[in-house]
Every structure is written in structure tokens, then in C-alpha cells.
Amino acid sequence: MEKTLDKIVNLCKNRGIIFAGSEIYGGMGNTWDYGPVGVEIKNNIKRAWWKRFVQENDNTFGIDAAILMNPRVWEASGHVSSFSDPLIDCKACKKRLRADNVVEDYAKKHNIDVVADLMTNEQMQDFISEHKVKCPYCGNSDFTSIRQFGLMFETSRGVTDENQNKIYLRPETAQGEFVNFLNVQRTTRAKVPFGIAQIGKAFRNEITPGNFTFRTIEFEQMEHQLFCKASDGAKFYELYKQKARQFLLDLGINPEHLRYHDHDKLAHYALSACDIEYLYPMGWKELNGIHNRSDFDLSQHQKFSGKSMMYTDQITNESYIPNVVENSIGADRLALAILCEAYDEEELADGETRTVLHLHPAISAYKVAVLPLQKSLSEKANEVLASLKKYFMCAYDEAGSIGKRYRRQDEIGTPFCVTIDFDTLEDDTVTIRMRDSMEQIRIKISDLVDYINKAIVF
Ligand code: ATP
């Protein structure tokens, strides 16, 4: 079975997982809306991440910071001066491209050993001219010169035109953790090392959004910042590389579809940086970033805000600005990886093929679907449904043959189907059918909640 991105996109569109944004107006350049099934899947992914990196993580505290921040934050972080990508236009077809991608793609195809990240704009320009690199869209080799393109979305704050101030939509959630370092430390009395985490929207005016939800201009990030002593930075960096990978494996991702990619080019303040890449249908791509960021973030905020970011160790009396180890992953990119991983087309014994999402039950939108064998059983079925709804998201379906109804649930990854039949009226038992093995067992209605609860723990 070939697993293509098109198949995933179609399933998402047809089964209420992800729709094109503003679709009735012809869409809006790579924005996507999560449908009734997709919103549950994404919320479950965020819950699983929060459980792993906040609830179960030692000394970690969650926050939910504002998207709009004082613009000085983005001066301190360096985004105003340097959050940009090298842009190049094809003069023939007018497509806008990222020059580093153009160079990398050409080099990969022709086995040339260059790393675009390490090149200046002049060097990339020379490379493109020297090799007569062609536009991937129209095949011409006629480009503009390379210039830097700012990735932050700007808007303005103020009630009158004269009184407008430029502000930004945050391009990352991390600064929310940094500017709340003192607040969290003071109110929790946390001792270093401790972590601050948040999940929230981020916005980037990407030059080349695409590959479905992989690269969008609006997305959600799940970020954990660990504040530690400089001498512990390397240790925690290694630990979070492990933890981040383990989280992905526990969600059911095949280890052969994950790899570490250490960065060749480091930001001037970064001590080390690594991506965990996932083998998407379109190739290996970054899914999760882990960075050892030195004391750059808090030092910059100390400098720009004038507030001391020093931490004093009560036992040793040492005072220092903590280092940061960051673990950052996009909720949408992870949802896409999980959908790609879970997607399968299985040949059945009767010669039919079923499409199934082998999602971890903790991630599935609905934990159980209630299916009356006949319409006349719907009263009993609704009774069972009402009792289960108190505990989980449930689906209900009484239309079509039971086989068709199973297939519909398989396609959205519902781990259990409960069938109400005439015996149910006599003895309060039901048939429960497993999505992956398609095995069916008879179980008491009163045991259903416990049975399902055991299977959906993450
Ligand atoms: P890329 O190199 O793919 O642009 P990045 O290195 O700029 O990513 P980070 O700034 O480290 O990404 O952001 C952390 C995480 O946020 C990424 O690992 C990714 O999962 C997610 N992310 C970043 N940009 C986007 C985007 N445009 N759309 C969806 N998710 C994104």
C-alpha cells in the first residue's frame, strides 16, 4: 500500500478531520480548519503532551500567555532584527521561493555536499548562477537577487489611525515562558531546575507554506522550557532529546520513522540544537526541536526590561541567570505525523479492503461507537450511549449495515464499537468489537466503562 499525502488529505476532508480554511470562499492560502473528528484528535494530542511534560514531569508548571506581547519582547528576543528567511523570486513564473530550499534541493539531487544553512545570501546566489539551478515550478533559470523576508505578522494597536503602534502576532510561544520566569518562580517557590510549559497559537508569514498542515502560517506549538544551571545544560539537553523521542514512540510512532538531526548551523547563542525528524509521505521533515539556548533568553530580557533575572540558590548562595533547554513541537505537525503513521489499507479475508486509522486509543476522537443492530433497538442503545457519554466522547450510528458502520468507525480510528442486539434487552450484555484485531467479545454493560478506561490510558 502506498501511503500518499493525497490519501491522508482526502480522508481528512471526507471524514471531518481537517477542512480547507474558508473553503466556500475558495480557501485562504494554506489555512486549515479542524472538523468534529479533528478537533478531538488534536485536543487529545495536546492533552497527552501536557500529561507527559507537565503533569508527570518533575517541577514543571503550565501557563497560558497572551498572543499579543509588548513589542519590546521581540526586540529582546532578536526576532525584529533577524527572524527572516532568504527570499528569491522566479522572474518567469513569479513564484516566490526560499533560496535555501532551492539550493538544498538542487544539492541533494546532484549529490553536492553543501549546507545552505551555513551559506551567506551571496554564496547561495553564486551557487544558483553557477549551477544554473532551475525553478521547480516552470523550469526557467531566471531569478531575482536574494533578499531577507521578515516572518512576523504585524498588526496595529490603538483606536485612532494617528495613535497606532505596531505590534506582532507571536511567532513562537516560548517568549511567554521567558517573560513569566520571575512570576512563576515567585508564586510556586520553584527551585532551579524547573520547567515552564505552554500550548498555544503561533503565527509566521512563511514564504512557502504547504504540504497540508505541515507548514502553515497559523499553527499551535507545545513548548517546554527548562531553567537550569549552565553546568547542567548539556545533561538536560540529552535528557530532553530522549524524553521527546520516547513521547513520540509511546504515541505509536514506528522508531524507523524517527531520526535525530543535529544542526550544522547554530544561532550565535545556542550551545546545541537538534531536530527529531519524522518520515512523512513527502520525506524526512522536522517534527520536534530540542535546543540548549544558554542564558541568552533571560539575559536579553534582563537587558531590555531592566528587571533582574538573577536566581539565587538558597543553599549555596550562588546567584546566576539560568540557562534554558527548550523542547518544542508543533501540535499540527504532530497530528499530521500521527495520522500518516496510523493510516492503513488492509486486505480482509472476504477480499474487501478497509481503510483504518490505528490511532493510540488515547488519541482517537471517539473512544467508543454505539450501534444498535436494528432501529427498534435504538431506545436501549441511547440508554447505553447516555451512560457512556459521562466518561468519554462517543459516536452513535444506526444507519446502514453493521459492516458499513464498522468501516466508518475504522476510518476515523474509533477503538471500540459496541453493538446492541436483542440479547441486550434480556441480559444487559453487548458485543464489543476491537478496531485493530476486529475481534468481538460479549461483555456486561456495567463493565464497559472500566474496560474502555483501561485501554485509553496514555
Ligand atoms: P522549520 O525549519 O520547519 O521552519 P523551525 O526550525 O523554524 O521549523 P521552530 O522555530 O524550532 O521551527 O519551531 C518549533 C516547532 O514548531 C517545529 O519543530 C514545528 O513542529 C513547529 N512549526 C514551526 N513552524 C511551523 C509552521 N509554519 N507550521 C506548522 N508547524 C510549525
Side-chain angles (χ1 to χ4, degrees):
M1 185 239 353
E2 203 198 348
K3 214 184 272 194
T4 63
L5 195 58
D6 277 350
K7 285 185 182 175
I8 310 286
V9 174
N10 278 330
L11 181 80
C12 286
K13 185 182 162 139
N14 294 324
R15 307 302 282 123
I17 304 175
I18 301 171
F19 307 122
S22 320
E23 197 176 354
I24 59 168
Y25 288 95
M28 147 79 197
N30 274 94
T31 59
W32 301 97
D33 296 343
Y34 287 79
V37 174
V39 66
E40 299 299 334
I41 290 177
K42 192 167 150 190
N43 282 341
N44 290 336
I45 288 172
K46 290 191 279 183
R47 262 183 222 121
W49 186 90
W50 196 263
K51 181 160 186 273
R52 180 63 57 91
F53 289 99
V54 181
Q55 184 178 328
E56 295 176 352
N57 214 7
D58 289 344
N59 229 8
T60 302
F61 307 92
I63 60 163
D64 182 14
I67 287 173
L68 302 174
M69 303 181 80
N70 188 312
R72 294 275 288 162
V73 168
W74 306 110
E75 286 170 34
S77 68
H79 283 80
V80 169
S81 59
S82 60
F83 191 52
S84 58
D85 277 336
L87 170 72
I88 194 167
D89 291 319
C90 170
K91 285 190 193 161
C93 72
K94 311 284 182 236
K95 274 270 188 293
R96 311 204 106 175
L97 303 158
R98 262 177 67 175
D100 53 335
N101 291 346
V102 171
V103 169
E104 288 275 342
D105 291 348
Y106 183 90
K108 216 179 267 171
K109 210 157 144 195
H110 295 84
N111 263 329
I112 303 173
D113 192 17
V114 294
V115 181
D117 272 0
L118 296 176
M119 295 164 89
T120 61
N121 284 357
E122 288 70 36
Q123 286 167 328
M124 285 194 275
Q125 191 96 51
D126 290 347
F127 182 96
I128 290 170
S129 317
E130 197 180 304
H131 293 89
K132 298 197 171 49
V133 177
K134 293 193 170 99
C135 168
Y137 293 95
C138 71
N140 283 293
S141 185
D142 187 11
F143 294 105
T144 60
S145 51
I146 299 172
R147 60 212 183 277
Q148 288 304 119
F149 177 77
L151 297 177
M152 278 205 291
F153 278 106
E154 294 173 6
T155 185
S156 45
R157 161 93 177 89
V159 281
T160 61
D161 282 350
E162 297 80 54
N163 192 19
Q164 282 185 341
N165 281 320
K166 184 156 57 169
I167 56 171
Y168 303 95
L169 301 188
R170 69 179 174 199
E172 60 173 31
T173 56
Q175 299 303 323
E177 283 101 291
F178 301 142
V179 301
N180 279 295
F181 166 73
L182 294 177
N183 283 335
V184 173
Q185 199 279 324
R186 177 175 53 82
T187 51
T188 62
R189 290 174 291 118
K191 293 185 175 56
V192 167
F194 72 91
I196 306 182
Q198 84 168 313
I199 299 178
K201 290 262 185 181
F203 304 82
R204 295 183 187 177
N205 201 2
E206 298 274 6
I207 297 173
T208 50
N211 284 324
F212 196 28
T213 51
F214 177 80
R215 186 181 299 287
T216 50
I217 53 176
E218 171 184 346
F219 53 97
E220 258 177 298
Q221 287 188 314
M222 307 191 283
E223 298 202 299
H224 175 270
Q225 314 291 336
L226 184 93
F227 299 91
C228 65
K229 266 169 97 158
S231 53
D232 286 340
K235 177 181 88 183
F236 283 115
Y237 173 69
E238 288 306 322
L239 180 70
Y240 274 85
K241 274 173 74 170
Q242 298 300 330
K243 280 192 181 215
R245 182 170 181 276
Q246 192 58 48
F247 172 66
L248 300 171
L249 295 177
D250 292 345
L251 285 171
I253 296 186
N254 179 342
E256 287 173 14
H257 297 165
L258 293 173
R259 70 179 188 194
Y260 289 117
H261 169 240
D262 293 311
H263 284 209
D264 296 308
K265 180 182 167 187
L266 293 175
H268 60 94
Y269 52 84
L271 300 175
S272 24
C274 168
D275 299 333
I276 299 178
E277 296 183 336
Y278 173 71
L279 185 56
Y280 288 93
M282 61 277 186
W284 288 102
K285 302 269 177 204
E286 170 176 346
L287 169 60
N288 192 135
I290 303 107
H291 313 114
N292 184 358
R293 302 175 56 96
S294 76
D295 65 1
F296 173 78
D297 306 288
L298 293 184
S299 298
Q300 284 295 99
H301 286 305
Q302 172 166 299
K303 194 161 127 198
F304 279 71
S305 70
K307 296 273 183 311
S308 168
M309 296 286 157
M310 297 288 268
Y311 169 81
T312 303
D313 186 314
Q314 302 292 328
I315 295 166
T316 62
N317 254 345
E318 249 180 303
S319 283
Y320 56 90
I321 296 183
N323 271 42
V324 167
V325 173
E326 170 178 77
N327 176 32
S328 171
I329 183 166
D332 310 85
R333 256 186 214 187
L334 177 55
L336 182 59
I338 286 176
L339 289 169
C340 294
E341 191 69 20
Y343 183 92
D344 201 5
E345 290 164 13
E346 287 177 2
E347 292 270 347
L348 301 178
D350 60 7
E352 294 228 344
T353 306
R354 71 162 181 161
T355 299
V356 53
L357 286 184
H358 293 291
L359 294 171
H360 188 298
I363 301 304
S364 298
Y366 304 113
K367 306 308 173 199
V368 54
V370 178
L371 317 171
L373 206 55
Q374 289 189 6
K375 281 218 169 109
S376 60
L377 293 161
S378 63
E379 193 184 329
K380 184 68 182 173
N382 272 295
E383 223 177 80
V384 174
L385 177 69
S387 70
L388 295 177
K389 270 184 170 175
K390 290 200 181 304
Y391 299 91
F392 333 100
M393 284 300 295
C394 304
Y396 180 81
D397 191 355
E398 52 178 33
S401 74
I402 194 73
K404 279 219 177 83
R405 285 186 268 166
Y406 284 152
R407 293 290 165 276
R408 284 202 281 265
Q409 296 305 322
D410 290 344
E411 284 186 7
I412 57 171
T414 308
F416 301 109
C417 286
V418 162
T419 312
I420 315 293
D421 55 27
F422 288 100
D423 288 344
T424 311
L425 301 179
E426 304 297 318
D427 60 6
D428 271 332
T429 64
V430 291
T431 300
I432 184 163
R433 177 224 186 230
M434 325 300 163
R435 175 197 65 202
D436 296 342
S437 63
M438 293 191 284
E439 189 194 330
Q440 306 189 4
I441 56 168
R442 200 79 193 167
I443 178 173
K444 281 202 229 134
I445 292 173
S446 54
D447 290 340
L448 272 175
V449 169
D450 265 1
Y451 187 89
I452 297 168
N453 257 333
K454 283 202 183 95
I456 64 174
V457 173
F458 177 73

